[in-house]
Amino acid sequence: MSHRILFVCLGNICRSPAAEGAFRTRAPHFVTDSAGTSGWHIGDSPYGPMQKAARARGIKLDDLRARQFVAEDFHRFDLIIGMDADNIANIEDLRPAGNDTPVRLLTDFAPQSGADHVPDPYYTRDFDGALDLIEAAVVGLETHLRA
Ligand code: 4NP
């Protein structure tokens, strides 16, 4: 059973807090967290434009604070979900010997989208497009976890 879910992106201020927020809004009984593979924004709140776009659809992110992904996260969580292939590679670089915690792409749970990653809105500025994809994938993730 996967009860503890960790969402991971690069900065931990746009995509992974949005994914955590969207998921916990739908499925509050899970333990969730998010982290960044970089340490660039440690302690920061989610990026303002992402908070605003999320709030407009009923997803509150204001209590979240960025932290860096660490090897210990492989032991603390049952499922680790990255936003793109770089995230997955950087996560896997820290996998402890013998650990078999599953690491998946968020877009794996939105096959109908045809997307193979969540484009980074920090660069694209398409916060609503990222949230559309994240929300679709979170529905798929919840269905997957119920099965
Ligand atoms: P995220 O987006 O990985 O979705 O949080 C980013 C936010 C900030 C930076 C990069 C990506 N940055 O370079 O500061």
Side-chain angles (χ1 to χ4, degrees):
M1 280 283 279
S2 300
H3 283 295
R4 301 170 299 170
I5 317 290
L6 179 66
F7 298 91
V8 178
C9 63
L10 175 58
N12 194 210
I13 58 169
C14 286
R15 294 166 296 172
S16 62
E20 182 188 3
F23 184 74
R24 72 179 180 177
T25 299
R26 289 192 67 88
H29 46 291
F30 285 89
V31 174
T32 59
D33 196 9
S34 69
T37 58
S38 80
W40 300 335
H41 292 280
I42 290 170
D44 289 359
S45 297
Y47 191 48
M50 178 54 96
Q51 281 203 55
K52 188 175 174 198
R55 194 183 317 122
R57 30 181 108 193
I59 299 167
K60 280 177 55 73
L61 306 180
D62 56 287
D63 60 311
L64 302 177
R65 296 295 179 270
R67 70 169 178 89
Q68 190 165 15
F69 180 80
V70 292
E72 179 64 21
D73 286 319
F74 279 97
H75 299 303
R76 292 193 192 120
F77 294 91
D78 304 308
L79 175 62
I80 300 172
I81 299 180
M83 302 297 135
D84 61 35
D86 285 344
N87 301 155
I88 302 295
N90 290 321
I91 292 165
E92 290 292 354
D93 280 346
L94 295 182
R95 183 187 289 277
N99 178 275
D100 62 357
T101 304
V103 175
R104 302 284 301 274
L105 279 170
L106 184 63
T107 48
D108 288 351
F109 302 100
Q112 74 282 4
S113 71
D116 64 359
H117 70 292
V118 181
D120 193 338
Y122 191 76
Y123 301 114
T124 69
R125 314 308 293 175
D126 185 6
F127 298 94
D128 273 303
L131 282 166
D132 287 344
L133 181 53
I134 286 167
E135 289 206 274
V138 155
V139 172
L141 174 60
E142 195 198 3
T143 304
H144 166 83
L145 292 172
R146 281 175 189 280

Short mmCIF file of all heavy atoms in Angstrom, two decimals, residues 88-120:
data_model
loop_
_atom_site.label_atom_id
_atom_site.label_comp_id
_atom_site.label_asym_id
_atom_site.label_seq_id
_atom_site.Cartn_x
_atom_site.Cartn_y
_atom_site.Cartn_z
N ILE A 88 13.88 12.52 -12.37
CA ILE A 88 14.00 11.08 -12.10
C ILE A 88 15.47 10.68 -12.00
O ILE A 88 15.88 9.95 -11.08
CB ILE A 88 13.30 10.25 -13.21
CG1 ILE A 88 11.82 10.61 -13.32
CG2 ILE A 88 13.50 8.75 -12.97
CD1 ILE A 88 10.96 10.31 -12.15
N ALA A 89 16.30 11.20 -12.92
CA ALA A 89 17.74 10.88 -12.90
C ALA A 89 18.39 11.39 -11.62
O ALA A 89 19.20 10.68 -11.00
CB ALA A 89 18.42 11.47 -14.13
N ASN A 90 18.03 12.60 -11.21
CA ASN A 90 18.63 13.18 -10.00
C ASN A 90 18.15 12.46 -8.73
O ASN A 90 18.91 12.33 -7.76
CB ASN A 90 18.32 14.67 -9.92
CG ASN A 90 19.09 15.47 -10.97
OD1 ASN A 90 20.25 15.17 -11.26
ND2 ASN A 90 18.45 16.45 -11.57
N ILE A 91 16.90 12.00 -8.73
CA ILE A 91 16.38 11.21 -7.62
C ILE A 91 17.14 9.88 -7.55
O ILE A 91 17.64 9.48 -6.50
CB ILE A 91 14.86 10.97 -7.79
CG1 ILE A 91 14.07 12.27 -7.63
CG2 ILE A 91 14.36 9.90 -6.82
CD1 ILE A 91 12.63 12.20 -8.14
N GLU A 92 17.22 9.20 -8.69
CA GLU A 92 17.86 7.87 -8.73
C GLU A 92 19.33 7.93 -8.30
O GLU A 92 19.85 6.97 -7.73
CB GLU A 92 17.73 7.25 -10.11
CG GLU A 92 16.31 6.83 -10.48
CD GLU A 92 15.80 5.64 -9.65
OE1 GLU A 92 16.57 5.05 -8.87
OE2 GLU A 92 14.60 5.32 -9.79
N ASP A 93 19.99 9.06 -8.56
CA ASP A 93 21.40 9.22 -8.14
C ASP A 93 21.57 9.05 -6.64
O ASP A 93 22.67 8.74 -6.17
CB ASP A 93 21.92 10.60 -8.53
CG ASP A 93 22.32 10.69 -10.00
OD1 ASP A 93 22.45 9.63 -10.64
OD2 ASP A 93 22.51 11.82 -10.49
N LEU A 94 20.50 9.30 -5.86
CA LEU A 94 20.58 9.25 -4.40
C LEU A 94 19.97 7.97 -3.81
O LEU A 94 19.90 7.83 -2.59
CB LEU A 94 19.88 10.47 -3.79
CG LEU A 94 20.52 11.83 -4.09
CD1 LEU A 94 19.75 12.94 -3.39
CD2 LEU A 94 21.98 11.87 -3.67
N ARG A 95 19.56 7.02 -4.67
CA ARG A 95 18.89 5.82 -4.15
C ARG A 95 19.87 4.99 -3.30
O ARG A 95 20.94 4.62 -3.77
CB ARG A 95 18.36 4.96 -5.30
CG ARG A 95 17.59 3.74 -4.82
CD ARG A 95 17.20 2.81 -5.95
NE ARG A 95 16.16 3.33 -6.82
CZ ARG A 95 14.85 3.25 -6.58
NH1 ARG A 95 14.42 2.68 -5.47
NH2 ARG A 95 13.98 3.74 -7.44
N PRO A 96 19.48 4.70 -2.05
CA PRO A 96 20.34 3.88 -1.19
C PRO A 96 20.43 2.44 -1.72
O PRO A 96 19.45 1.93 -2.31
CB PRO A 96 19.63 3.90 0.17
CG PRO A 96 18.71 5.08 0.12
CD PRO A 96 18.29 5.18 -1.31
N ALA A 97 21.56 1.80 -1.50
CA ALA A 97 21.74 0.42 -1.92
C ALA A 97 20.63 -0.46 -1.35
O ALA A 97 20.31 -0.35 -0.16
CB ALA A 97 23.10 -0.08 -1.47
N GLY A 98 20.04 -1.28 -2.19
CA GLY A 98 19.02 -2.22 -1.73
C GLY A 98 17.63 -1.65 -1.61
O GLY A 98 16.68 -2.39 -1.37
N ASN A 99 17.48 -0.34 -1.78
CA ASN A 99 16.14 0.28 -1.66
C ASN A 99 15.36 0.06 -2.95
O ASN A 99 15.91 0.17 -4.04
CB ASN A 99 16.29 1.78 -1.38
CG ASN A 99 14.94 2.48 -1.30
OD1 ASN A 99 14.39 2.86 -2.32
ND2 ASN A 99 14.41 2.60 -0.11
N ASP A 100 14.05 -0.27 -2.80
CA ASP A 100 13.26 -0.52 -4.01
C ASP A 100 11.99 0.34 -4.06
O ASP A 100 11.00 -0.03 -4.69
CB ASP A 100 12.91 -2.00 -4.15
CG ASP A 100 12.05 -2.49 -2.99
OD1 ASP A 100 11.77 -1.70 -2.06
OD2 ASP A 100 11.67 -3.68 -3.01
N THR A 101 12.03 1.50 -3.42
CA THR A 101 10.88 2.42 -3.47
C THR A 101 10.61 2.82 -4.92
O THR A 101 11.53 3.23 -5.64
CB THR A 101 11.19 3.69 -2.64
OG1 THR A 101 11.51 3.29 -1.32
CG2 THR A 101 9.99 4.64 -2.63
N PRO A 102 9.37 2.69 -5.39
CA PRO A 102 9.08 3.07 -6.77
C PRO A 102 9.22 4.57 -7.02
O PRO A 102 8.84 5.38 -6.16
CB PRO A 102 7.63 2.61 -6.99
CG PRO A 102 7.07 2.32 -5.66
CD PRO A 102 8.20 2.10 -4.70
N VAL A 103 9.81 4.91 -8.15
CA VAL A 103 9.95 6.30 -8.60
C VAL A 103 9.27 6.37 -9.97
O VAL A 103 9.61 5.62 -10.88
CB VAL A 103 11.43 6.72 -8.72
CG1 VAL A 103 11.55 8.11 -9.30
CG2 VAL A 103 12.11 6.66 -7.35
N ARG A 104 8.28 7.26 -10.08
CA ARG A 104 7.50 7.35 -11.33
C ARG A 104 7.40 8.79 -11.78
O ARG A 104 7.55 9.72 -11.00
CB ARG A 104 6.06 6.83 -11.07
CG ARG A 104 5.96 5.40 -10.55
CD ARG A 104 6.20 4.37 -11.62
NE ARG A 104 5.24 4.49 -12.70
CZ ARG A 104 4.03 3.91 -12.72
NH1 ARG A 104 3.62 3.18 -11.69
NH2 ARG A 104 3.22 4.07 -13.76
N LEU A 105 7.12 8.94 -13.08
CA LEU A 105 6.78 10.26 -13.62
C LEU A 105 5.32 10.57 -13.33
O LEU A 105 4.46 9.70 -13.49
CB LEU A 105 6.97 10.28 -15.14
CG LEU A 105 8.37 10.47 -15.69
CD1 LEU A 105 8.35 10.20 -17.19
CD2 LEU A 105 8.88 11.89 -15.40
N LEU A 106 5.02 11.81 -12.95
CA LEU A 106 3.62 12.17 -12.72
C LEU A 106 2.77 11.92 -13.97
O LEU A 106 1.63 11.47 -13.88
CB LEU A 106 3.51 13.64 -12.29
CG LEU A 106 2.12 14.11 -11.93
CD1 LEU A 106 1.56 13.37 -10.71
CD2 LEU A 106 2.08 15.62 -11.68
N THR A 107 3.34 12.22 -15.13
CA THR A 107 2.58 12.05 -16.38
C THR A 107 2.25 10.60 -16.69
O THR A 107 1.38 10.34 -17.53
CB THR A 107 3.32 12.70 -17.56
OG1 THR A 107 4.69 12.28 -17.54
CG2 THR A 107 3.24 14.22 -17.49
N ASP A 108 2.91 9.64 -16.03
CA ASP A 108 2.53 8.23 -16.19
C ASP A 108 1.06 8.02 -15.81
O ASP A 108 0.42 7.07 -16.28
CB ASP A 108 3.36 7.31 -15.28
CG ASP A 108 4.80 7.18 -15.75
OD1 ASP A 108 5.12 7.63 -16.85
OD2 ASP A 108 5.60 6.59 -14.98
N PHE A 109 0.55 8.89 -14.93
CA PHE A 109 -0.81 8.74 -14.43
C PHE A 109 -1.82 9.56 -15.23
O PHE A 109 -2.99 9.61 -14.87
CB PHE A 109 -0.86 9.09 -12.93
CG PHE A 109 0.07 8.23 -12.12
CD1 PHE A 109 1.32 8.69 -11.72
CD2 PHE A 109 -0.27 6.92 -11.81
CE1 PHE A 109 2.20 7.90 -11.02
CE2 PHE A 109 0.59 6.10 -11.10
CZ PHE A 109 1.84 6.59 -10.70
N ALA A 110 -1.35 10.18 -16.32
CA ALA A 110 -2.24 10.90 -17.25
C ALA A 110 -1.90 10.48 -18.68
O ALA A 110 -1.55 11.31 -19.52
CB ALA A 110 -2.08 12.41 -17.09
N PRO A 111 -2.03 9.17 -18.98
CA PRO A 111 -1.62 8.69 -20.32
C PRO A 111 -2.43 9.35 -21.44
O PRO A 111 -1.92 9.53 -22.54
CB PRO A 111 -1.87 7.18 -20.25
CG PRO A 111 -2.82 6.98 -19.11
CD PRO A 111 -2.53 8.08 -18.13
N GLN A 112 -3.67 9.72 -21.12
CA GLN A 112 -4.52 10.36 -22.13
C GLN A 112 -3.99 11.72 -22.56
O GLN A 112 -4.36 12.22 -23.63
CB GLN A 112 -5.97 10.49 -21.60
CG GLN A 112 -6.19 11.56 -20.53
CD GLN A 112 -5.72 11.17 -19.13
OE1 GLN A 112 -5.13 10.11 -18.91
NE2 GLN A 112 -5.97 12.06 -18.16
N SER A 113 -3.11 12.32 -21.76
CA SER A 113 -2.57 13.64 -22.10
C SER A 113 -1.52 13.57 -23.20
O SER A 113 -1.26 14.57 -23.88
CB SER A 113 -1.94 14.27 -20.85
OG SER A 113 -0.73 13.59 -20.52
N GLY A 114 -0.91 12.40 -23.36
CA GLY A 114 0.18 12.27 -24.32
C GLY A 114 1.47 12.94 -23.86
O GLY A 114 2.48 12.87 -24.58
N ALA A 115 1.47 13.56 -22.68
CA ALA A 115 2.65 14.27 -22.19
C ALA A 115 3.63 13.28 -21.55
O ALA A 115 3.21 12.32 -20.90
CB ALA A 115 2.25 15.32 -21.16
N ASP A 116 4.93 13.52 -21.72
CA ASP A 116 5.93 12.67 -21.07
C ASP A 116 6.67 13.42 -19.96
O ASP A 116 7.62 12.91 -19.38
CB ASP A 116 6.91 12.08 -22.09
CG ASP A 116 7.74 13.15 -22.77
OD1 ASP A 116 7.55 14.36 -22.48
OD2 ASP A 116 8.59 12.78 -23.62
N HIS A 117 6.23 14.64 -19.66
CA HIS A 117 6.77 15.39 -18.53
C HIS A 117 5.82 16.56 -18.26
O HIS A 117 4.98 16.87 -19.11
CB HIS A 117 8.19 15.89 -18.80
CG HIS A 117 8.27 16.97 -19.84
ND1 HIS A 117 8.00 16.74 -21.17
CD2 HIS A 117 8.56 18.28 -19.74
CE1 HIS A 117 8.15 17.88 -21.84
NE2 HIS A 117 8.48 18.83 -20.99
N VAL A 118 5.99 17.18 -17.10
CA VAL A 118 5.24 18.41 -16.81
C VAL A 118 6.16 19.58 -17.16
O VAL A 118 7.18 19.79 -16.49
CB VAL A 118 4.81 18.50 -15.33
CG1 VAL A 118 4.01 19.79 -15.09
CG2 VAL A 118 4.00 17.27 -14.92
N PRO A 119 5.85 20.32 -18.23
CA PRO A 119 6.70 21.47 -18.60
C PRO A 119 6.79 22.45 -17.43
O PRO A 119 5.80 22.67 -16.72
CB PRO A 119 5.97 22.08 -19.79
CG PRO A 119 5.15 20.97 -20.37
CD PRO A 119 4.73 20.15 -19.18
N ASP A 120 7.99 23.02 -17.23
CA ASP A 120 8.22 23.85 -16.06
C ASP A 120 7.65 25.26 -16.28
O ASP A 120 8.19 26.03 -17.08
CB ASP A 120 9.72 23.93 -15.79
CG ASP A 120 10.02 24.51 -14.42
OD1 ASP A 120 9.14 25.21 -13.87
OD2 ASP A 120 11.11 24.25 -13.90
#
